[in-house]
Every structure is written in C-alpha cells, then in structure tokens.
Amino acid sequence: MELLVRLILLPPLLVAAFNGMMGLFAPAYRQREMLIGVLGTLAVAVPFAVTIVLFLGYESAEVARYFTWMAAGDLRVDFAYRIDELSLLMTLIVTGVGSLIHIYSIGYMHGDSGYWRFFAYLNLFIFAMLNLVLADNLPVLFLGWEGVGLCSYLLIGFWYTDLKNTAAANKAFIVNRVGDFAFLLAMFLIYQTVTGAPGFVGPFGLDFATILSPDTLALFGAPALFGWSIGTWVVLFLFIGATGKSAQIPLFVWLPDAMAGPTPVSALIHAATMVTSGLYLLARLSSMVIAVPGVMAVIAIVGALTAIMAATVAITQNDIKKVLAYSTVSQLGYMFLAVGVGAWWVAIFHVMTHAFFKACLFLGSGSVIHAMHHVEHDLEHRGVIPKRHGHPDTPHDSEASQNTLRHNPLPYDGPFDAQDMRTMGGLKKYMPSTRMTFLIATLAIAGLPGLSGFFSKDEILFKAFEYGYDGHLVGYLVWIVGLVTALLTAVYMTRAYLLTFEGEPRWPAALDVEAHESPWTMTVPLWVLAGLSVVGGWIGLPPVMAKALGDEGVLYKVGGWLHHWLGADYGGPVAELHHEILPPTGYAWGLLALGAAIAIGGVAFAWLGLRFGKRGPEADRKVRKGMGWVYAGASRVWWWDAVYNATVVRATVEGARKVFAPFDKNVVDGGVMGLAHGVRTVASRLRTVQTGAVQTYALAIVIGVVGVVALILFV
C-alpha cells in the first residue's frame, strides 16, 4: 500500500518540477506543447488509476508512514497518509475531475506563452490537494492546505501582466490567511489540551486517530474562555478556517475575483479542489463537531445566508464566469448548511455531484469564451471593433470605438467583452456539443428530477427539515432559506444558458462573423462530465426512495451505497446525527415532490415566463423591476467589497502610509543609516592615525608595550 500511495502523490510533484525546470532553463522546451500537456495529464491520470485500484481492493483503513517530519519534546509529526473511505472518495474526485481539466487545458491554453508554466502550476496544485485529502494528521493536512493557497495565488494571477489579475491573486492570498490563522489556533489548542492532560504519555503528532478517540474528545469538554468549552473554541476556529477556503460569509469575497485566472483554473478551484477543503476538514473531524451543537447552529445559519446571498447576486451578473462563481459560493453554502444540521455524508455527496456539474459548466463557459475570442478577433480584423490585441493604446470607449460600432451596436454601453452573455446568444447552432453539455449541467444544478443535483440538493433540504422536525427551530429556518435558494438557482442558471445559447446572435455583424465549436480536447471532457452529471447522483438515493426499491437488488445496493460507504453507523469515518423524532414517510415523499416542483418551476419561469431565450437582455429589466431593492443590493454584491475597502483596506493602507512608512523611514532606516554615518565618522577620525611614517608606528608599538607591562606590574 505504501508504494501505491507514493504512486498517487509523486507523479504530479515530479512532473511539475520537470516541466517547470525544463521550461525555465531550456527555452526550446516551451514550444513542445503536446509533450508538456501529455506529461501533465498523465501525472494526474496515473494517480486516478492507482486510486481506483486501492478503491476496488479496499477492506479497512490503513496508514502509510514514511518518515518523521518534526520531533521536539512531546511533538512528533510523521509524514503519514491515511487510506479510508473518505480519503479515497475525495482522491477519486480530485484526480478524476482533475484529469479531465488537464485534457481540456491542452486545447484551451494552446498558443499561450506560459503554457509550460501553467501545467507546472496545475500539477503542483493537484499534489497539494492530494496531501490535504490523504493526510493522517493536521500538520500534513495544513501543508496541503497552504499549498493549494499558494497554487491558487500563482494560477489566479497567471496572466500577471494585467494588474487586475495580480490584484485578484493578492486578494485570494490575503483573505485566506485570515482563515489559516484560525486553523493554526485550533491546532495549537488541540495540542495544548492533549499534551497538558493528566497521565499524558507522549509523543503526540496531531493524528486523527488520537484526536477523535473517545478519551481525547472527553478532554475537550473542559471549560475555557468565556465559559465555552475547549471543544467549542476548537470547532469555532476550525469553522473560521473553513470559511476562508470554502468561501463563506464573511470571507467569500476572494472567490468571485478568482475568475481572473484561465478558465481551467476556475474549474479546478471551484469544482474539485480548493473550495472543498473546508468541507473536507469539517467532515474529517465530524466526531468533534457533532459534540458542539451551538457551533453547528452557527454553521447552518452562515451556510444558509451564504447560499441565498450569493444566489441573489448571481441573477444580476452578466459575465458568464461571474454567474458560475457566485453559483459556487451559493452551493458551498448548501454544503455548510448540511454540516450545520449534522448531515456530513450528504455534504460530501453534494461535493461530489457539484464537482461534476460545476466543472462541466466552467469548462463549458471556457469553450464559449474560446469561441467568442475568435469572434472578437474576426471583428477586429474586419474593422467592426477597434483592435485591442497588440494595440493596447486604443481605449475601447474612445471615439474610434464608438464610430466603428455605430452601425453594429453592442447591447450595452462599453467595449466588446467575450465573457459578457449579452454579446452572445444563438450559439447552439455553432457549438452543439458545448450547448448540450452546458444544458445538461444546468438542469443538474437546477435540481431536475433524475439528475445528480436533484438527489444531493434535496437530501440536504430533507435533512434540514428533519433537524427542524426534531425540535430545532434553526432547522426549519435554514430549510426555508434553502428552498428559496433552490428556486433562485434554477432561475439564474436557466438565464445563463438561455442568454448564451438560445435566441439570435447579439454580437456585431453576426450575419458575417460566426462562432466555432471547440476542439475535441475540450469537448470530450465536457461530455464525460455531463454524463456524470446525469448518473452521479444515483449512488446516494434518498433513504425513502432506496427503501421503496426493496431490501435486495442492484438498485437498492447502488442507491444506498454512498451513505453506507461514508456513514459511521456502517463503519465509515463520517459521523451522523441521530434524531429522536423522525418525520413520517409521507413527509419525505412530499418534500421530494416539492423540491422537484421548485426546480421545474424555476426553469419554466426563466424559460417561458421571463423568456430570456427570445427577449435576451431585455428580460433583465423585468427581473430588475420585480426584485426592486433586492436587485440593487445584489448587483453591488451587498456592498461587501465596499465595506471591506472602507474599513480594513483603507485603514491598512492609510495606517501603512501615515504610521508605518514614517516609522520605517525615520526609525528603521534612520537607525541603520545613523549607525553607518557613525561608523563612517569614527573611521574618518581614526584614519588620521595612519600616517605612513615608520617612526610613528615604532613609537606606537613602544607605547603599547609600556602599557602592557604597566598593566602586568600594577594591576
């Protein structure tokens, strides 16, 4: 098993180093795009194949220990990796979806001058994420945690010559440091609690088996600051850490800006890797979290508020990637809602289904953007719009731009934008594969019956209702918010599909300039992900539906497989919250029907009621009028960035300019320069002693000898 774990971890690291070093020191290697892309893809596909072997032969949890990383006093941290049900499932998601994204990137990044660097970063990202999900202790997990943060910074700011991209990368890096600090506090508190307990026998390496043992969990019940138990503080710090990586209120602001990176990066961050880190952490430590119901209620409320807040914002966005970005924030809110009501296996279920349909949507948007960039180049070549590529001095809002667009106006004020859905429309006849896969993924995330999103999302809503039925008011509150969010999701995703693919083309000179389908390296991953978006939910059927299939048969075994694989009641690593009062079976069927009706109703309302397909951007006026003040707030992202800029950012910048800059200049630099000036002054005085006359030196020697003899005789 240790060899197989090496074969999972090492290929992406070694290929990242190889592509990076070869591209850096052998410029000719940068032109070998196919070789770079194939090596980068194999570095993820091989671990995927190895994980399948481990998955098929899995019998019980095992730990592979390689060497001691840190040893000091009571602390001993091993580089050790854990193979169990949760780590295997997450590794399959990371490497499986990651492999498809790598294949897609071969076509998408073709011709980019940083092609070699992109694949090196992408492989390093996968390596860091594998460290995170396979780690057997918190320090190794934290190593992967920080690794994905570093790689996200490198990939978001990949096109670093654009200052907006570097600003987005900096924002992601800085915001995540807030959550990371809370994670560190949780680790320190766990270590202090365990090593300070009576009868402790070291060393302690913060491994999960020890942390989650009954004896250790009992220690966290001791009172601590403000009357809260140690366990409450630990779980609260872990949750704050999770809000950073998994983009929950108030630390979600970095994720929409992460769209600055290439589209495959968006798919990797939003679907399969970084944003699931926080969910994975809470699921891995679910036995600890479940013992703190007060913090669980906070998690549920924050998740619900994040879900509905981001959903309202998504319906106001025109950038196709921004719609998907806020959709990701909303779906992550759903997952945290599930954690807050004690449904960890359901949260991981939604992580899996979300990886399928959201990766398909992001890669589909990349295919669309790829085509629209070709449209943009063609329009520039025909003189319909001013050239931007190679002529950065020509502003798009210049008089020349307005003159060239006089007879071919855009449906909005401003320059041509290849990512703006208002310039699209009618793409279904040009891009049939992209259109069909995007539609399937759209219906899946909307929650149409039979598709993957229906099963995972409705199970979250049912668990919230069940939590409320057992006497917890917060369960009913988050359930209602979840229903409204589900309706909004169906509406804004259908809007995105219709504005992009239906109706007539809205770009200038549409009769003369056509879009084209993407190459097979981009469309094949789309079809695979679309297929998974259809069938991926059938391994986690609602219990009431699984029971209806009987106690035997393939459908029953498949339908209840994920719950049995992960759930602690069946020997899995994920805890489950048990309720004293359960809703009747009829309620379960009714809630399933309600969820299906909301999904179908939302899609129908956007398609037939608002008629985004026929009316295009004009339909937004009806939405704006109907939502009123909500639309005004949502279109400004509820002023989150404005508040941060007015408080934290401005205070930091002004403080640095008015306080730290003078201190640095006058005290730090002044002290250093003053010391140098003093040394120079003393040296200039002493240099006069060096006369160059031998007689003077002889006299100095005599005086020195006399002085030494005097000290010996009289002191």
Side-chain angles (χ1 to χ4, degrees), residues 694-714:
V694 176
Q695 295 87 343
T696 304
Y697 299 151
L699 177 62
I701 292 172
V702 171
I703 294 173
V705 170
V706 171
V708 171
V709 172
L711 287 174
I712 294 173
L713 293 176
F714 301 108

PDB file of all heavy atoms in Angstrom, residues 694-714:
ATOM      1  N   VAL A 694      57.197  55.189   9.339  1.00  0.00           N
ATOM      2  CA  VAL A 694      57.603  54.030  10.140  1.00  0.00           C
ATOM      3  C   VAL A 694      57.908  54.446  11.572  1.00  0.00           C
ATOM      4  O   VAL A 694      57.609  53.719  12.534  1.00  0.00           O
ATOM      5  CB  VAL A 694      58.826  53.334   9.501  1.00  0.00           C
ATOM      6  CG1 VAL A 694      59.317  52.186  10.376  1.00  0.00           C
ATOM      7  CG2 VAL A 694      58.510  52.860   8.100  1.00  0.00           C
ATOM      8  N   GLN A 695      58.467  55.643  11.759  1.00  0.00           N
ATOM      9  CA  GLN A 695      58.807  56.101  13.101  1.00  0.00           C
ATOM     10  C   GLN A 695      57.559  56.212  13.980  1.00  0.00           C
ATOM     11  O   GLN A 695      57.579  55.896  15.172  1.00  0.00           O
ATOM     12  CB  GLN A 695      59.505  57.480  13.039  1.00  0.00           C
ATOM     13  CG  GLN A 695      60.853  57.463  12.345  1.00  0.00           C
ATOM     14  CD  GLN A 695      60.717  57.659  10.838  1.00  0.00           C
ATOM     15  OE1 GLN A 695      59.624  57.485  10.295  1.00  0.00           O
ATOM     16  NE2 GLN A 695      61.833  58.000  10.179  1.00  0.00           N
ATOM     17  N   THR A 696      56.480  56.666  13.416  1.00  0.00           N
ATOM     18  CA  THR A 696      55.234  56.799  14.173  1.00  0.00           C
ATOM     19  C   THR A 696      54.728  55.438  14.623  1.00  0.00           C
ATOM     20  O   THR A 696      54.290  55.254  15.764  1.00  0.00           O
ATOM     21  CB  THR A 696      54.165  57.491  13.312  1.00  0.00           C
ATOM     22  OG1 THR A 696      54.668  58.749  12.875  1.00  0.00           O
ATOM     23  CG2 THR A 696      52.890  57.698  14.092  1.00  0.00           C
ATOM     24  N   TYR A 697      54.786  54.446  13.704  1.00  0.00           N
ATOM     25  CA  TYR A 697      54.339  53.100  14.065  1.00  0.00           C
ATOM     26  C   TYR A 697      55.226  52.501  15.155  1.00  0.00           C
ATOM     27  O   TYR A 697      54.752  51.834  16.078  1.00  0.00           O
ATOM     28  CB  TYR A 697      54.346  52.197  12.837  1.00  0.00           C
ATOM     29  CG  TYR A 697      53.413  52.654  11.725  1.00  0.00           C
ATOM     30  CD1 TYR A 697      53.677  52.365  10.392  1.00  0.00           C
ATOM     31  CD2 TYR A 697      52.265  53.383  12.030  1.00  0.00           C
ATOM     32  CE1 TYR A 697      52.835  52.781   9.388  1.00  0.00           C
ATOM     33  CE2 TYR A 697      51.410  53.805  11.032  1.00  0.00           C
ATOM     34  CZ  TYR A 697      51.696  53.513   9.720  1.00  0.00           C
ATOM     35  OH  TYR A 697      50.858  53.936   8.724  1.00  0.00           O
ATOM     36  N   ALA A 698      56.576  52.748  15.069  1.00  0.00           N
ATOM     37  CA  ALA A 698      57.502  52.233  16.084  1.00  0.00           C
ATOM     38  C   ALA A 698      57.198  52.849  17.442  1.00  0.00           C
ATOM     39  O   ALA A 698      57.207  52.169  18.473  1.00  0.00           O
ATOM     40  CB  ALA A 698      58.948  52.523  15.674  1.00  0.00           C
ATOM     41  N   LEU A 699      56.900  54.160  17.469  1.00  0.00           N
ATOM     42  CA  LEU A 699      56.542  54.826  18.712  1.00  0.00           C
ATOM     43  C   LEU A 699      55.265  54.237  19.301  1.00  0.00           C
ATOM     44  O   LEU A 699      55.166  54.030  20.522  1.00  0.00           O
ATOM     45  CB  LEU A 699      56.386  56.335  18.460  1.00  0.00           C
ATOM     46  CG  LEU A 699      55.948  57.175  19.670  1.00  0.00           C
ATOM     47  CD1 LEU A 699      56.996  57.077  20.794  1.00  0.00           C
ATOM     48  CD2 LEU A 699      55.729  58.629  19.255  1.00  0.00           C
ATOM     49  N   ALA A 700      54.294  53.937  18.446  1.00  0.00           N
ATOM     50  CA  ALA A 700      53.038  53.355  18.919  1.00  0.00           C
ATOM     51  C   ALA A 700      53.270  51.982  19.526  1.00  0.00           C
ATOM     52  O   ALA A 700      52.674  51.623  20.552  1.00  0.00           O
ATOM     53  CB  ALA A 700      52.037  53.259  17.761  1.00  0.00           C
ATOM     54  N   ILE A 701      54.175  51.230  18.912  1.00  0.00           N
ATOM     55  CA  ILE A 701      54.481  49.893  19.444  1.00  0.00           C
ATOM     56  C   ILE A 701      55.130  50.009  20.816  1.00  0.00           C
ATOM     57  O   ILE A 701      54.796  49.272  21.752  1.00  0.00           O
ATOM     58  CB  ILE A 701      55.386  49.125  18.465  1.00  0.00           C
ATOM     59  CG1 ILE A 701      54.614  48.796  17.179  1.00  0.00           C
ATOM     60  CG2 ILE A 701      55.912  47.843  19.103  1.00  0.00           C
ATOM     61  CD1 ILE A 701      55.477  48.216  16.080  1.00  0.00           C
ATOM     62  N   VAL A 702      56.063  50.938  20.956  1.00  0.00           N
ATOM     63  CA  VAL A 702      56.739  51.130  22.250  1.00  0.00           C
ATOM     64  C   VAL A 702      55.731  51.534  23.324  1.00  0.00           C
ATOM     65  O   VAL A 702      55.743  51.006  24.448  1.00  0.00           O
ATOM     66  CB  VAL A 702      57.852  52.199  22.116  1.00  0.00           C
ATOM     67  CG1 VAL A 702      58.407  52.574  23.505  1.00  0.00           C
ATOM     68  CG2 VAL A 702      58.972  51.696  21.233  1.00  0.00           C
ATOM     69  N   ILE A 703      54.868  52.469  22.987  1.00  0.00           N
ATOM     70  CA  ILE A 703      53.851  52.900  23.949  1.00  0.00           C
ATOM     71  C   ILE A 703      52.952  51.737  24.337  1.00  0.00           C
ATOM     72  O   ILE A 703      52.596  51.545  25.498  1.00  0.00           O
ATOM     73  CB  ILE A 703      53.025  54.061  23.366  1.00  0.00           C
ATOM     74  CG1 ILE A 703      53.909  55.304  23.197  1.00  0.00           C
ATOM     75  CG2 ILE A 703      51.841  54.376  24.251  1.00  0.00           C
ATOM     76  CD1 ILE A 703      53.230  56.441  22.473  1.00  0.00           C
ATOM     77  N   GLY A 704      52.607  50.910  23.372  1.00  0.00           N
ATOM     78  CA  GLY A 704      51.772  49.741  23.647  1.00  0.00           C
ATOM     79  C   GLY A 704      52.457  48.762  24.574  1.00  0.00           C
ATOM     80  O   GLY A 704      51.847  48.233  25.507  1.00  0.00           O
ATOM     81  N   VAL A 705      53.745  48.504  24.321  1.00  0.00           N
ATOM     82  CA  VAL A 705      54.487  47.566  25.171  1.00  0.00           C
ATOM     83  C   VAL A 705      54.571  48.101  26.596  1.00  0.00           C
ATOM     84  O   VAL A 705      54.375  47.370  27.578  1.00  0.00           O
ATOM     85  CB  VAL A 705      55.897  47.311  24.586  1.00  0.00           C
ATOM     86  CG1 VAL A 705      56.759  46.532  25.587  1.00  0.00           C
ATOM     87  CG2 VAL A 705      55.799  46.574  23.268  1.00  0.00           C
ATOM     88  N   VAL A 706      54.864  49.408  26.711  1.00  0.00           N
ATOM     89  CA  VAL A 706      54.927  50.018  28.048  1.00  0.00           C
ATOM     90  C   VAL A 706      53.583  49.889  28.759  1.00  0.00           C
ATOM     91  O   VAL A 706      53.512  49.576  29.956  1.00  0.00           O
ATOM     92  CB  VAL A 706      55.354  51.501  27.937  1.00  0.00           C
ATOM     93  CG1 VAL A 706      55.218  52.203  29.286  1.00  0.00           C
ATOM     94  CG2 VAL A 706      56.779  51.609  27.437  1.00  0.00           C
ATOM     95  N   GLY A 707      52.521  50.109  28.054  1.00  0.00           N
ATOM     96  CA  GLY A 707      51.185  49.988  28.645  1.00  0.00           C
ATOM     97  C   GLY A 707      50.908  48.582  29.131  1.00  0.00           C
ATOM     98  O   GLY A 707      50.346  48.375  30.211  1.00  0.00           O
ATOM     99  N   VAL A 708      51.238  47.577  28.323  1.00  0.00           N
ATOM    100  CA  VAL A 708      51.002  46.181  28.706  1.00  0.00           C
ATOM    101  C   VAL A 708      51.819  45.810  29.945  1.00  0.00           C
ATOM    102  O   VAL A 708      51.324  45.170  30.885  1.00  0.00           O
ATOM    103  CB  VAL A 708      51.330  45.240  27.528  1.00  0.00           C
ATOM    104  CG1 VAL A 708      51.295  43.781  27.988  1.00  0.00           C
ATOM    105  CG2 VAL A 708      50.364  45.457  26.382  1.00  0.00           C
ATOM    106  N   VAL A 709      53.120  46.226  29.964  1.00  0.00           N
ATOM    107  CA  VAL A 709      53.977  45.930  31.126  1.00  0.00           C
ATOM    108  C   VAL A 709      53.422  46.593  32.383  1.00  0.00           C
ATOM    109  O   VAL A 709      53.400  46.007  33.480  1.00  0.00           O
ATOM    110  CB  VAL A 709      55.430  46.387  30.843  1.00  0.00           C
ATOM    111  CG1 VAL A 709      56.290  46.272  32.113  1.00  0.00           C
ATOM    112  CG2 VAL A 709      56.033  45.571  29.724  1.00  0.00           C
ATOM    113  N   ALA A 710      52.941  47.840  32.227  1.00  0.00           N
ATOM    114  CA  ALA A 710      52.369  48.541  33.378  1.00  0.00           C
ATOM    115  C   ALA A 710      51.142  47.806  33.922  1.00  0.00           C
ATOM    116  O   ALA A 710      50.949  47.702  35.134  1.00  0.00           O
ATOM    117  CB  ALA A 710      52.015  49.975  32.975  1.00  0.00           C
ATOM    118  N   LEU A 711      50.310  47.292  33.049  1.00  0.00           N
ATOM    119  CA  LEU A 711      49.125  46.544  33.482  1.00  0.00           C
ATOM    120  C   LEU A 711      49.531  45.289  34.244  1.00  0.00           C
ATOM    121  O   LEU A 711      48.916  44.924  35.254  1.00  0.00           O
ATOM    122  CB  LEU A 711      48.267  46.180  32.264  1.00  0.00           C
ATOM    123  CG  LEU A 711      47.484  47.326  31.612  1.00  0.00           C
ATOM    124  CD1 LEU A 711      46.815  46.841  30.332  1.00  0.00           C
ATOM    125  CD2 LEU A 711      46.434  47.876  32.581  1.00  0.00           C
ATOM    126  N   ILE A 712      50.589  44.634  33.745  1.00  0.00           N
ATOM    127  CA  ILE A 712      51.032  43.393  34.405  1.00  0.00           C
ATOM    128  C   ILE A 712      51.588  43.683  35.797  1.00  0.00           C
ATOM    129  O   ILE A 712      51.333  42.948  36.763  1.00  0.00           O
ATOM    130  CB  ILE A 712      52.083  42.669  33.531  1.00  0.00           C
ATOM    131  CG1 ILE A 712      51.427  42.190  32.221  1.00  0.00           C
ATOM    132  CG2 ILE A 712      52.702  41.497  34.283  1.00  0.00           C
ATOM    133  CD1 ILE A 712      52.414  41.612  31.222  1.00  0.00           C
ATOM    134  N   LEU A 713      52.358  44.791  35.900  1.00  0.00           N
ATOM    135  CA  LEU A 713      53.037  45.081  37.169  1.00  0.00           C
ATOM    136  C   LEU A 713      52.111  45.706  38.223  1.00  0.00           C
ATOM    137  O   LEU A 713      52.234  45.431  39.426  1.00  0.00           O
ATOM    138  CB  LEU A 713      54.227  46.018  36.920  1.00  0.00           C
ATOM    139  CG  LEU A 713      55.398  45.416  36.098  1.00  0.00           C
ATOM    140  CD1 LEU A 713      56.453  46.479  35.851  1.00  0.00           C
ATOM    141  CD2 LEU A 713      56.002  44.213  36.813  1.00  0.00           C
ATOM    142  N   PHE A 714      51.205  46.537  37.824  1.00  0.00           N
ATOM    143  CA  PHE A 714      50.470  47.342  38.810  1.00  0.00           C
ATOM    144  C   PHE A 714      48.975  46.986  38.941  1.00  0.00           C
ATOM    145  O   PHE A 714      48.294  47.522  39.807  1.00  0.00           O
ATOM    146  CB  PHE A 714      50.593  48.832  38.456  1.00  0.00           C
ATOM    147  CG  PHE A 714      52.023  49.308  38.427  1.00  0.00           C
ATOM    148  CD1 PHE A 714      52.644  49.610  37.226  1.00  0.00           C
ATOM    149  CD2 PHE A 714      52.745  49.422  39.605  1.00  0.00           C
ATOM    150  CE1 PHE A 714      53.966  50.045  37.202  1.00  0.00           C
ATOM    151  CE2 PHE A 714      54.072  49.865  39.574  1.00  0.00           C
ATOM    152  CZ  PHE A 714      54.697  50.175  38.390  1.00  0.00           C
TER     153      PHE A 714
END
